[in-house]
Amino acid sequence: MKVLVAVKRVVDYNVKVRVKADNSGVDLANVKMSMNPFCEIAVEEAVRLKEKGVATEIVVVSVGPTTAQEQLRTALALGADRAILVEAADELNSLAVAKALKAVVDKEQPQLVILGKQAIDSDNNQTGQMLAALTGYAQGTFASKIEVQGNLVVTREIDGGLQTVSLSLPAVVTTDLRLNEPRYASLPNIMKAKKKPLETVTPDALGVSLASTNKTLKVEAPAARSAGIKVKSVAELVEKLKNEAKVI
């Protein structure tokens, strides 16, 4: 079974995001970038499937700038076999990324595609579902457990608890936080990753257009939260909720 894993380069989750002075977007100058945490979970699950003998090859793919090679090398160090970068300098929406991934899927013909359920920068939670629609593959979103029993059995996180679905292959799966805990790349594997193949392609070579239909007009930081106050009694609390906050 060939497994294709999509990864995204995002601002590291420990970094406090800053907005540009002209409100045109997020300031990425001298900011630490990392692999999206949900994508790390996707890579880890693919590696575990390979360790179980279910997967035979793991291909990681990213759609983004040349610098995304850093995150692809990280995925290779974690256990992926080879990598593909679809170079795109522009800011991409979910549909554009899904179209690029669809072209890669058509080229690679994987039996399983694993993505993080969402990226921590845009938080859209759309790409996996769009990719499944474009390819016509079965889909299992918000996966907290994956098993291969002839078909693909996916346990999903839903509002009411858990839902188990059986999917015919090929399929698209998006990962939730409880699926696994990603490993750290060892130094020997980091060195080996430098020699693993990393192919760079352009959208034109794949025959897709990544032109966005969305335009960012303005980006603003959230309003600062005002400090809380202490009250001496329940009566005072009720009075403030009623007359100041006006919530009761």
Side-chain angles (χ1 to χ4, degrees), residues 153-231:
V153 180
V154 177
T155 303
R156 304 180 59 237
E157 299 270 350
I158 60 173
D159 290 342
L162 298 175
Q163 179 188 49
T164 301
V165 293
S166 178
L167 308 177
S168 57
L169 296 172
V172 174
V173 172
T174 68
T175 62
D176 212 326
L177 281 173
R178 294 173 185 81
L179 182 59
N180 60 52
E181 185 173 340
R183 68 192 70 190
Y184 292 99
S186 64
L187 182 58
N189 286 339
I190 292 174
M191 300 307 293
K192 290 177 183 176
K194 294 180 179 180
K195 298 182 179 179
K196 290 184 178 181
L198 193 160
E199 177 187 1
T200 300
V201 297
T202 63
D204 290 341
L206 293 174
V208 295
S209 172
L210 302 187
S212 178
T213 54
N214 297 338
K215 182 179 179 181
T216 301
L217 299 178
K218 191 176 182 182
V219 176
E220 292 183 336
R225 300 177 71 176
S226 57
I229 61 172
K230 291 183 178 181
V231 294

Side-chain angles (χ1 to χ4, degrees), residues 33-82:
M33 306 294 283
S34 301
M35 189 191 306
N36 178 48
F38 289 101
C39 298
E40 290 182 347
I41 294 171
V43 173
E44 174 66 24
E45 192 62 24
V47 173
R48 292 188 184 189
L49 289 173
K50 187 175 181 182
E51 290 172 345
K52 293 175 183 177
V54 175
T56 54
E57 183 183 24
I58 301 171
V59 182
V60 288
V61 58
S62 186
V63 184
T66 305
T67 47
Q69 291 186 23
E70 179 187 351
Q71 282 63 49
L72 289 174
R73 290 292 179 194
T74 300
L76 292 172
L78 292 171
D81 298 298
R82 56 188 177 92

